[in-house]
Amino acid sequence: MAGGGGAERVRVGAAAAGLLPPSCRQPRRRESRERLSVCSKLCYAVGGAPYQTTGCALGFFLQIYLLDVAQLDPFYASIILFVGRAWDAITDPMVGFFISKTPWTRFGRLMPWIIFSTPFAVISYFLIWFVPDISTGQVMWYLIFYCIFQTLVTCFHVPYSALTMFISREQSERDSATAYRMTVEVLGTVLGTAIQGQIVGKAVTPCIETPPFLSETNFSVAIRNVNMTHYTGSLADTRNAYMVAAGVIGGLYILCAVILSVGVREKRESSELQSDEPVSFFRGLKLVMNHGAYIKLITGFLFTSLAFMLLEGNFALFCTYTLGFRNEFQNILLAIMLSATLTIPFWQWFLTRFGKKTAVYVGISSAVPFLITVVVLDSNLVVTYIVAVAAGISVAAAFLLPWSMLPDVIDDFKLQHPESRGHEAIFFSFYVFFTKFTSGVSLGISTLSLDFAGYQTRGCSQPSEVNITLKLLVSAVPVGLILLGLLLFKLYPIDEEKRRENKKALQDLREESNSSSESDSTELANIV
């Protein structure tokens, strides 16, 4: 009886489909399947905010928090920053491996990772900004919870990044969704900067004036003569402000994760691009790492991303000590992020009008004159704000372009290896791996450089050697990395012509596969 009922449904469905002319059937089905609504794009984009909000708060404020609030020695702070970011880099391919082995569920293959990692990530994030009342073990406290949070946020961000390839098969729809995502992610950095900066900025972090006749050796002796009662009270207010900011950002993390999981449906790819069996991770890794376009893309962006990460990690210290804007640095950071948010739509228009490679050269190189200006001119608050707004334009390009170009590389890989499927998470996770590992090295080295230059914890001012080091870390070194990255990026082979060819070839492949599937279905119906 079941077989007869199934045959009847096939015949009825075929008869109903036959009432429509062929020209009216397939295009509508394809349009409803592949077009994304604005609501879906917005819900997808909101999912990018947690990673950027927490990452921005940690990137801009963790170093100065460890040095001046938790009062760790710069050497130990450098260990925490390096090991935490290095571990964060290692977890990306690990999570990518486990995702590639994850079977599809009714929620999808990627979404369960996002849902289950969120509450534990929020708890560990809050504990990073908590100063434990213990005489020893503070270094291990921050190192452990920093590594735990990085692991959990990776379990959120790697599947979220790979989700780009599973919300639509249309390249134009993915590019549009990516533009939505980049706008929200930069808005997330604005929220991270505003929440962390404005809340923490209300509490004045106490510092200790260093008399000019005291040497660095006698500085610690002078601290003992300071009235520590007022100092301790002010420091407690600052620590409480950091925890309040962490609580607010944690609440936003949960809210965005809920919107993403409710508003986005993860779609299986069509039969020609999806394998029902778990793919071989190491075989896929070998294929990915031998794909020339991917290697050239991540090599170029490796250096340019490293430049902006180095600037991010040291900018708060640079504004506080070198420029002398102790009570204004959070507003300067906010000006950069607001400028970046407002110019994302411009760069999206620019890359569609002039091509992505042109956008790379124009957008990222535009930061160079402003990075030079901020250290060459004398300390001036108005000039600093102008430079911050102008630099934000380049930051927007650095945010948008890598994630907009990775899907092009994956499409190119699919055409060259049509038999190898399911490697999207590897592409995204290893791109993040390289950038995070190098940023961890750079942050560790930069903090060690400050230690060698004589950085004075809790000091209101720093020795001239520290100021020179900070100028190098936010100007000379990033400029050199940007120029090197742009030089390497000339080797990237996917220009606009190549991208259009790949798009047409993939469309032909899908149409051929759909035709083959429809032929098989017709034969099966005739047999029935």
Side-chain angles (χ1 to χ4, degrees):
M1 293 179 63
E8 182 65 21
R9 283 192 296 272
V10 170
R11 287 193 294 270
V12 172
L19 297 176
L20 294 174
S23 60
C24 297
R25 294 199 302 264
Q26 182 66 20
R28 289 183 182 177
R29 186 166 66 251
R30 178 176 302 169
E31 180 179 358
S32 63
R33 183 177 65 244
E34 296 181 350
R35 296 289 295 181
L36 291 175
S37 66
V38 174
C39 181
S40 296
K41 293 177 184 179
L42 287 173
C43 291
Y44 165 74
V46 166
Y51 179 80
Q52 297 299 336
T53 303
T54 56
C56 182
L58 290 168
F60 280 124
F61 292 92
L62 183 59
Q63 186 182 44
I64 195 170
Y65 168 81
L66 293 175
L67 293 174
D68 290 352
V69 181
Q71 300 179 5
L72 299 182
D73 184 270
F75 174 76
Y76 294 117
S78 67
I79 292 177
I80 294 171
L81 293 171
F82 168 71
V83 175
R85 294 307 292 266
W87 173 251
D88 185 22
I90 294 172
T91 59
D92 284 286
M94 289 172 56
V95 171
F97 169 78
F98 289 116
I99 289 175
S100 69
K101 296 295 185 181
T102 302
W104 281 84
T105 68
R106 67 189 185 95
F107 298 105
R109 191 174 72 175
L110 305 173
M111 200 64 73
W113 287 81
I114 295 172
I115 295 172
F116 291 115
S117 66
T118 294
F120 303 102
V122 171
I123 294 172
S124 59
Y125 177 78
F126 180 81
L127 293 176
I128 292 174
W129 302 103
F130 175 75
V131 181
D133 188 16
I134 52 178
S135 57
T136 59
Q138 279 194 350
V139 175
M140 291 303 300
W141 172 280
Y142 291 113
L143 183 59
I144 290 173
F145 284 109
Y146 189 32
C147 290
I148 290 175
F149 172 74
Q150 297 290 14
T151 302
L152 292 168
V153 79
T154 297
C155 292
F156 182 104
H157 192 247
V158 168
Y160 173 74
S161 300
L163 190 62
T164 307
M165 304 303 296
F166 292 89
I167 57 176
S168 176
R169 294 181 301 175
E170 282 294 320
Q171 187 184 70
S172 59
E173 291 298 297
R174 295 200 306 259
D175 286 345
S176 177
T178 299
Y180 277 81
R181 170 191 166 186
M182 291 301 106
T183 302
V184 174
E185 286 196 354
V186 177
L187 181 60
T189 65
V190 173
L191 287 175
T193 305
I195 294 172
Q196 190 84 5
Q198 298 304 314
I199 293 178
V200 171
K202 300 296 183 181
V204 180
T205 303
C207 63
I208 299 174
E209 293 286 353
T210 307
F213 57 84
L214 284 182
S215 64
E216 179 185 348
T217 306
N218 296 326
F219 179 75
S220 59
V221 178
I223 292 177
R224 300 192 187 101
N225 299 324
V226 178
N227 183 353
M228 298 303 293
T229 302
H230 172 72
Y231 176 84
T232 303
S234 300
L235 186 59
D237 293 339
T238 303
R239 291 174 175 176
N240 290 333
Y242 272 98
M243 286 189 289
V244 170
V248 175
I249 291 176
L252 286 175
Y253 192 120
I254 295 175
L255 177 62
C256 293
V258 170
I259 293 175
L260 173 66
S261 60
V262 172
V264 176
R265 185 171 65 89
E266 183 181 349
K267 303 175 183 178
R268 273 182 180 265
E269 293 180 307
S270 59
S271 58
E272 80 276 12
L273 299 176
Q274 179 66 41
S275 174
D276 293 330
E277 297 295 328
V279 297
S280 170
F281 177 82
F282 294 103
R283 180 175 178 271
L285 177 60
K286 182 179 179 181
L287 288 173
V288 168
M289 290 304 165
N290 287 330
H291 189 59
Y294 180 64
I295 296 300
K296 291 167 184 174
L297 178 71
I298 64 174
T299 302
F301 276 120
L302 179 67
F303 290 99
T304 55
S305 299
L306 181 57
F308 286 99
M309 290 178 183
L310 198 62
L311 176 65
E312 175 188 74
N314 294 280
F315 196 74
L317 291 172
F318 175 75
C319 289
T320 300
Y321 295 113
T322 304
L323 298 181
F325 303 139
R326 175 177 291 272
N327 298 323
E328 289 288 337
F329 77 87
Q330 69 272 12
N331 297 323
I332 297 172
L333 296 177
L334 185 59
I336 295 176
M337 294 298 105
L338 281 174
S339 174
T341 302
L342 295 176
T343 50
I344 281 284
F346 166 77
W347 287 118
Q348 177 64 20
W349 168 83
F350 190 95
L351 66 86
T352 56
R353 176 66 176 82
F354 300 100
K356 296 180 181 180
K357 287 189 70 171
T358 304
V360 168
Y361 294 128
V362 175
I364 296 180
S365 63
S366 63
V368 172
F370 303 111
L371 293 178
I372 296 175
T373 301
V374 77
V375 299
V376 170
L377 297 180
D378 293 333
S379 177
N380 184 288
L381 185 59
V382 175
V383 172
T384 302
Y385 272 109
I386 294 174
V387 171
V389 171
I393 300 174
S394 184
V395 171
F399 266 88
L400 174 65
L401 292 168
W403 299 111
S404 178
M405 298 172 78
L406 268 175
D408 299 338
V409 173
I410 296 174
D411 287 342
D412 187 69
F413 176 85
K414 288 178 179 178
L415 288 174
Q416 296 186 25
H417 304 278
E419 76 289 347
S420 184
R421 307 179 181 98
H423 303 309
E424 292 83 3
I426 300 177
F427 277 97
F428 285 94
S429 63
F430 269 88
Y431 169 75
V432 178
F433 166 80
F434 288 118
T435 55
K436 285 182 178 179
F437 184 80
T438 52
S439 70
V441 173
S442 68
L443 283 175
I445 292 176
S446 64
T447 310
L448 276 178
S449 300
L450 294 175
D451 188 23
F452 293 146
Y455 183 88
Q456 296 176 353
T457 303
R458 298 178 288 179
C460 292
S461 60
Q462 298 294 336
S464 58
E465 293 82 0
V466 172
N467 292 325
I468 294 174
T469 302
L470 287 171
K471 288 182 178 180
L472 292 174
L473 292 174
V474 302
S475 180
V477 177
V479 167
L481 291 171
I482 287 174
L483 296 178
L484 180 58
L486 294 179
L487 181 63
L488 292 172
F489 199 79
K490 291 182 66 67
L491 303 175
Y492 178 67
I494 303 179
D495 54 14
E496 287 305 296
E497 181 179 357
K498 177 68 174 177
R499 195 165 71 92
R500 285 192 293 268
E501 293 175 357
N502 288 349
K503 179 181 179 180
K504 184 179 185 303
L506 278 174
Q507 186 64 34
D508 293 341
L509 181 64
R510 293 188 182 109
E511 291 177 355
E512 179 182 351
S513 177
N514 289 336
S515 299
S516 176
S517 299
E518 290 174 1
S519 298
D520 293 341
S521 299
T522 302
E523 292 178 4
L524 179 61
N526 291 333
I527 293 173
V528 174

